[in-house]
Amino acid sequence: MSILEIALASQIWARRGEKRPLDFDESDGLKALLRVAFVFLAFTLLIAGLNIAAGRPQMLAQRSAPVVTGR
C-alpha cells in the first residue's frame, strides 16, 4: 500500500465511530459569513499595506473621468 492509501484508510477508520450533526443552524451561517468578511478585510489590508510599503498607494482613478454628453 502506498502512503496515500494508508493515510486515507486511517482517516476512514478514525471517523468510523464519529457522529456528525446533520442539521444546519443559523449560527453556522453567521460564522461562515463572518469568516468570509474577516478574510476579505485581512486580504484588503494586506494588499493596501504592501502598496503603501512599496510607496505607491492605489488610486481608483488617476485622473478625472471624461463626462459623456448627450448622443
Side-chain angles (χ1 to χ4, degrees), residues 30-47:
L30 182 61
K31 286 178 188 176
L33 185 62
L34 285 174
R35 285 180 185 161
V36 168
F38 177 75
V39 167
F40 179 77
L41 179 67
F43 183 72
T44 302
L45 290 175
L46 174 69
I47 296 299

Side-chain angles (χ1 to χ4, degrees), residues 1-19:
M1 287 180 109
S2 71
I3 294 175
L4 183 60
E5 290 171 332
I6 294 170
L8 185 60
S10 174
Q11 279 288 88
I12 292 170
W13 185 262
R15 292 184 177 200
R16 209 173 51 126
E18 200 176 284
K19 301 289 181 196

